[in-house]
Amino acid sequence: MKVKSNTCWRVWKDNRMANGRPREFDVELALDRAMELFWRKGYEGTSLSDLTETLGITRPSLYAAFGNKEVLFRTVLKRYEANVVTYRRKALNAHSAYAVARELLEGAANLFGDESKPAGCLGVQGALACGEDAEPVRQELVANRSAGERALRQRLKRAKTEGDLPADSNPASLARFLSAVVYGMAVLSAGGASHKELLQVTELALRIWSQES
């Protein structure tokens, strides 16, 4: 069931077409289209003209419904984290440290290798080639990735406490290793790597994980 923002819905119901009839607007669909656009082109590579053309709206209407480009991107990023990157939650809830690593890496490979979706990762694509004006967005993306690594580190600390990891293991280093592989696969995907090639990276990383943990 689609849930529409009452505020945005009223804004768009109030916008009139040339013949005087109300223009209906699906907020959820618009956000999904904006997410795909930012995912493909990055934050700075996506212009306001790109957004208005893709969403089929005018600039004043875009501002009225979503705020400016930065606000829209932040909204889209939250949507991406909640609805697309579901493998992270699954990984953090896995029953063992090895299962955490496997769910995380295989989930990333499956997402980044899905030909029905834009290549790479919105969080990585969004931060590429960010200029000075986009620095707040870049900082948020960095903070977002740091939060993900921090959650992973806490899960691996718990595994160590429970005896699921060796007493001399380093949860921080292991979390950083997994994060580096995930974001490395995102870059490979953006460069054209196939699902099969990403799974090969996953398999090698899991062998290394078994040796180190």
Side-chain angles (χ1 to χ4, degrees):
M1 181 180 68
K2 292 182 178 180
V3 179
K4 296 181 176 65
S5 163
N6 290 333
T7 300
C8 291
W9 183 253
R10 286 197 300 272
V11 168
W12 286 95
K13 290 292 284 185
D14 288 342
N15 284 336
R16 300 288 169 173
M17 296 175 66
N19 59 11
R21 290 179 300 173
R23 177 188 297 177
E24 295 187 352
F25 178 69
D26 188 327
V27 175
E28 300 296 308
L29 179 60
L31 288 173
D32 282 341
R33 286 177 174 172
M35 177 171 65
E36 182 174 347
L37 187 59
F38 281 124
W39 192 346
R40 284 192 293 107
K41 303 188 72 171
Y43 175 76
E44 203 156 60
T46 300
S47 67
L48 285 172
S49 296
D50 291 331
L51 288 167
T52 55
E53 181 178 348
T54 298
L55 274 59
I57 59 177
T58 63
R59 288 194 184 190
S61 296
L62 178 82
Y63 293 140
F66 299 115
N68 60 24
K69 174 183 166 182
E70 182 178 331
V71 173
L72 176 57
F73 180 80
R74 292 175 188 272
T75 300
V76 161
L77 181 61
K78 290 178 182 178
R79 187 178 185 84
Y80 175 80
E81 294 291 334
N83 300 338
V84 179
V85 195
T86 55
Y87 68 86
R88 289 183 187 170
R89 291 193 298 274
K90 187 175 181 181
L92 292 174
N93 290 322
H95 66 280
S96 68
Y98 180 81
V100 168
R102 180 173 54 79
E103 293 288 355
L104 186 72
L105 298 178
E106 289 183 355
N110 291 336
L111 174 60
F112 303 152
D114 186 344
E115 294 184 356
S116 69
K117 295 181 174 60
C121 168
L122 175 63
V124 173
Q125 294 290 97
L128 293 178
C130 276
E132 187 175 328
D133 291 343
E135 182 63 16
V137 168
R138 191 189 73 82
Q139 289 294 338
E140 176 160 343
L141 291 170
V142 170
N144 189 63
R145 291 197 295 272
S146 296
E149 184 176 321
R150 187 162 55 250
L152 185 57
R153 183 170 66 246
Q154 291 301 319
R155 176 61 184 87
L156 296 178
K157 281 184 178 179
R158 193 184 90 197
K160 182 176 179 178
T161 300
E162 294 171 349
D164 187 34
L165 284 173
D168 61 350
S169 64
N170 187 327
S173 294
L174 292 172
R176 192 170 300 114
F177 167 74
L178 291 176
S179 296
V181 175
V182 167
Y183 291 117
M185 283 196 290
V187 174
L188 289 173
S189 170
S194 67
H195 183 216
K196 180 180 179 180
E197 290 170 330
L198 297 178
L199 287 177
Q200 290 172 343
V201 173
T202 293
E203 292 170 4
L204 178 58
L206 287 174
R207 287 201 294 270
I208 295 172
W209 172 274
S210 297
Q211 296 169 3
E212 295 298 322
S213 61

